[in-house]
Every structure is written in C-alpha cells, then in structure tokens.
Amino acid sequence: MPALVTAPADDRGDIRALTALARWSGRWSPVVAPDPAGPGLDGLILDITGCTRLFGGETALLDAMMEGFAELGFSVRLAAAPTIGLAWGAARFDPDSRNRPLCIDPDTAADRLAALPVEALRLAEGVSSRLRALGLTRAGLLLQQPRAALARRFGLDLPRRLDQARGQESEPLDPIRPARAFRSSLRFAEPVPGLDPIKTALPHLVGPVCDQLTNAGRGARRLVLSLVGSNGRAVRVAIGTAAAERDSGHIIRLLGESLDRLEADFGLGVEALHLTAPSTAAFTARQARLDGTPGEEATSHLVDRLRLRLGETGVRRAASRESWSPERASGWRTADHAQDIYVTTSPGLPLKRPLLLLDRPEPVEALAEVPDGPPRVFVWRRVRHRIAHAEGPERIAPEWWRPARSGQPLLSRDYFHVETAEGHRFWLYRAGLYGRETDVPCWFVHGVS
C-alpha cells in the first residue's frame, strides 16, 4: 500500500481530543463522559434522561447527533438503551447500528442483550477468548448459566457486567465538569448616556470577577467587556494582559483607556454591561521588593498599557529559542503570553558569546597555519587584522532537520574567540570540517566584543 500514511501513537493527545469532543457534545446533554476504551472502541456516554423532549423525541435526538458528528468529519455509531452497558455494547457490536442510530426500548432490551457477543460486555482482557473457547459466544448463553459457576470460574466482574447491562445493578457515571466561567453583569434602571457613568460602574463589574479569580487561584489573561445599547446593539471591548492578572485597579485602568477610544452608537444609551474572562492562567504570587522599587508586577502593568496604545504586536520581548545555531538561539516575541512560555532548556551549558552578534555572518579572508587551527590573519571590511591570541574551537554541528538553503550542504562550524594585536576582539568561525566536509573551508565573522 504505497499510499499508506503512518504516524506515532499519541495516547495523551487522543484523550485530550476525546475530552474536547465530549465538551462539544454538551449541546445535547449536560451529562457527558468520555470513554477511552481503547483503539477502535473509544466513545462518549451521554445521559439523555429528560433531554429528548427538547429535540422532538429520542430518534430525532440521535439523528441530530449523527448530523453533528458528520459535520465534524466523524463516522460514528449511535445507540440509546435503558442502561449504559447495553448502549455501549449495541453501539459497537449490534449490526443494526452500523448505518443508522439504534433506539432500544425497555420491552426489547432483553432480546437485544441476549444477541450481543460476549465482547460487548466490557470484560477484562482474555476473558472473552476463554468464554468463546467453551462455546459461550453470546450474552444470552451466559444468562442461562448459574451465576455462582460463572463467578467461580471467570471472576466477579462477569456477573457484575451482566447485571449492569440488565439494569439490576447501578453503574456510576463520571461526567466532565463544565469549564468554569468568570463573569459578572450589571444592568441599569434606564439607559445611561455617555461613557463617564460606565467608567464609574466598572469597579462594581470588575470586583466580582477578580474575587472569582482569587477563589479559583487563577488570573485573567484576556477580558471582554460587552456594552448593550438601547437599540439592541452590543459592542465588545477586549483587553489582554502580559501575565495572569487579578488586580482590579489595573484592569479598571485598562478598560477605562479602551473606552476612551470607543466610538459607537448605543441609541438612547447603554442598558447593560457584561464582563467575562474567557482566557485565564494559574496565578503565581509575586514577591514585592523590600526597597520599594517597582518589581515584576510593575513591568507587566507597563507592558499592558503600552500594548493597549501601540497594538497587540507593538510591544516585543527578547526570547530564547530551542536551537544551537547562534543566529537562531534568540529573537523577539510579542508580549501577549506569559514570559515563562519562552524559557528554553537548550543549550543547557553557559556559553561565552560576544557583546554584539551580527544578524548574518559576514565572510572574511583568513589565513591559518594549520587547516583545523585558528587563523593568524584575516581581512574584514577591507581592514587587515593580525591575531595575537585565540581561544577555541567551539564546534556546533548543523541542525540536520532544517532544510539546506539553495541546495548548499549543511556544514559544521568551529568558533574561535580571537584578539588582534590592536586589542580588538572578534568571534570567528570556520564553516566545514577540513578533509571531511570540504577541502576549502570558509571563514566568517559572527560577533564583536
């Protein structure tokens, strides 16, 4: 099969995707639990008790679910039954659930269960094969056997699964908890004209959200203020923070500056305000400085105010990157995420680097006594330099996973810290290992100290 595509298994990623799909399925029932039963058997368990009347019946609900999953690109098998065990087995092993949703009513539940294979009972690994070796291939055949004999030979799990499928033993369901919402609302007795009364009301709106964040140990990374006008128009004002934030004074200041630049028509005025924090992060306590000078919190507040005035990408911070190549090891990132996201673990050793690193290495003409040694003389920008002292080499292998540019091969680098007779210091490297990667190595200057 030349068109076969393979990929490494990602069990944790599969569970995360299944959990996300379970949250999306909350539109049909508030009680949804992901069921990572194994490759090919993963599924969702929904308790639709009391929900069917909202969709016009059980069949209509399953049809709506089938259409919803098809729009997401999933091929699913659906079954509704009086018990979790029967629904689980029917969705996977009943032939009637292959092409359309299957609804099992209590009158036909016993017959449906008896026709299912023993694999539909969610038994431990190896139990189903032992049952088949004895000719017990269907659940109906197990129901005809003495319970004591089944428990003695195959363990207590087998009769328990049979009782759960028949509804004679309750089965707990552990649904996912809905994502916690941090929000507050404020309604005015009559439409409020102008923005000054809205700014005055901001503390009554921001305070409850900050209290909710404090109780949850979280901080806001993004907040959205919705202003609902008397004409039915709703205008949203969004702000972001460089770090997890729950300082009400700082949030009020950011919202106030955003409202100053707001131009919208609310008719007779604003009738209601809604504040939500759709994006949050774990809040880490900040240690105040003993000398009273501004600390990390003041810096993040300054970044937030600058971003509000200059735009989301107008403020940048220096950031490390996961690369051994000096020109790739650092750069600039937007200040829209927490600083700890950009902390890198490589290179792990302290490395000597020049004060000034050129954006692009510049070629030089160099003369060395031995092919693998440091140069004695080099010419850079039409100036001849005679080297008095040299330290190195520091060898950096090429990153083989990066494609070569313009068909040129990837070469190793040998870096040298050199000092000229005039006292100038440079950071030079030789591209290519002599005799192994190239016969004519080239020299470049990459930094100046």
Side-chain angles (χ1 to χ4, degrees), residues 105-430:
D105 55 63
D107 297 335
T108 61
D111 296 335
R112 288 284 185 177
L113 176 61
L116 292 177
V118 292
E119 289 80 4
L121 296 176
R122 299 174 294 169
L123 301 175
E125 185 178 359
V127 176
S128 299
S129 58
R130 292 167 55 194
L131 291 172
R132 284 190 171 275
L134 297 176
L136 301 174
T137 58
R138 299 288 175 180
L141 299 176
L142 295 177
L143 294 174
Q144 300 174 5
Q145 306 301 318
R147 291 175 54 86
L150 293 176
R152 183 170 57 253
R153 190 160 188 174
F154 300 100
L156 296 177
D157 187 59
L158 177 55
R160 182 175 64 89
R161 289 300 190 185
L162 287 172
D163 292 341
Q164 289 177 347
R166 290 186 295 177
Q168 297 181 357
E169 181 177 339
S170 61
E171 183 173 357
L173 185 63
D174 186 18
I176 59 174
R177 297 181 179 179
R180 183 169 182 176
F182 303 95
R183 61 165 60 95
S184 64
S185 299
L186 183 63
R187 293 186 176 275
F188 300 103
E190 58 184 16
V192 176
L195 297 178
D196 291 337
I198 296 177
K199 294 181 180 179
T200 305
L202 284 179
H204 304 282
L205 199 66
V206 175
V209 174
C210 292
D211 293 339
Q212 296 171 17
L213 292 170
T214 302
N215 294 334
R218 310 284 293 179
R221 295 301 315 281
R222 183 177 176 83
L223 296 108
V224 178
L225 174 64
S226 300
L227 298 86
V228 182
S230 61
N231 55 1
R233 182 181 180 184
V235 178
R236 302 176 62 189
V237 176
I239 61 171
T241 59
E245 190 62 60
R246 62 190 188 198
D247 184 353
S248 59
H250 179 59
I251 296 175
I252 292 173
R253 187 181 304 112
L254 295 179
L255 290 175
E257 294 183 8
S258 299
L259 291 175
D260 290 337
R261 294 187 294 272
L262 182 63
E263 296 181 1
D265 180 19
F266 296 103
L268 299 177
V270 177
E271 292 184 341
L273 300 175
H274 305 283
L275 181 64
T276 60
S279 177
T280 64
F283 185 86
T284 303
R286 305 183 181 101
Q287 176 66 46
R289 295 186 178 182
L290 298 178
D291 57 1
T293 57
E296 179 184 355
E297 184 176 1
T299 303
S300 64
H301 288 183
L302 175 62
V303 171
D304 294 339
R305 300 186 67 181
L306 290 176
R307 288 179 59 218
L308 195 62
R309 300 181 181 183
L310 303 178
E312 295 290 334
T313 60
V315 182
R316 297 176 178 269
R317 59 156 55 99
S320 300
R321 296 175 181 169
E322 300 255 352
S323 177
W324 288 98
S325 179
E327 61 267 26
R328 296 178 180 272
S330 61
W332 296 95
R333 299 284 181 89
T334 57
D336 56 349
H337 291 83
Q339 188 173 3
D340 55 0
I341 294 179
Y342 304 115
V343 175
T344 178
T345 56
S346 64
L349 299 177
L351 301 176
K352 295 178 60 177
R353 291 293 182 259
L355 297 178
L356 174 62
L357 189 69
L358 301 180
D359 294 336
R360 294 184 179 180
E362 298 183 9
V364 298
E365 298 178 5
L367 178 63
E369 294 181 351
V370 294
D372 292 335
R376 303 301 301 172
V377 178
F378 72 94
V379 178
W380 178 49
R381 296 182 178 179
R382 300 182 182 181
V383 178
R384 185 174 182 271
H385 300 275
R386 185 172 58 86
I387 297 177
H389 304 283
E391 179 183 354
E394 174 193 339
R395 178 162 296 175
I396 299 179
E399 297 174 343
W400 54 266
W401 58 90
R402 298 188 183 276
R405 295 182 178 179
S406 304
Q408 298 179 356
L410 299 176
L411 302 176
S412 302
R413 299 179 182 181
D414 280 350
Y415 280 87
F416 294 89
H417 291 270
V418 300
E419 181 178 351
T420 66
E422 294 79 11
H424 303 300
R425 296 181 179 180
F426 297 91
W427 199 39
L428 306 175
Y429 76 85
R430 180 182 58 246

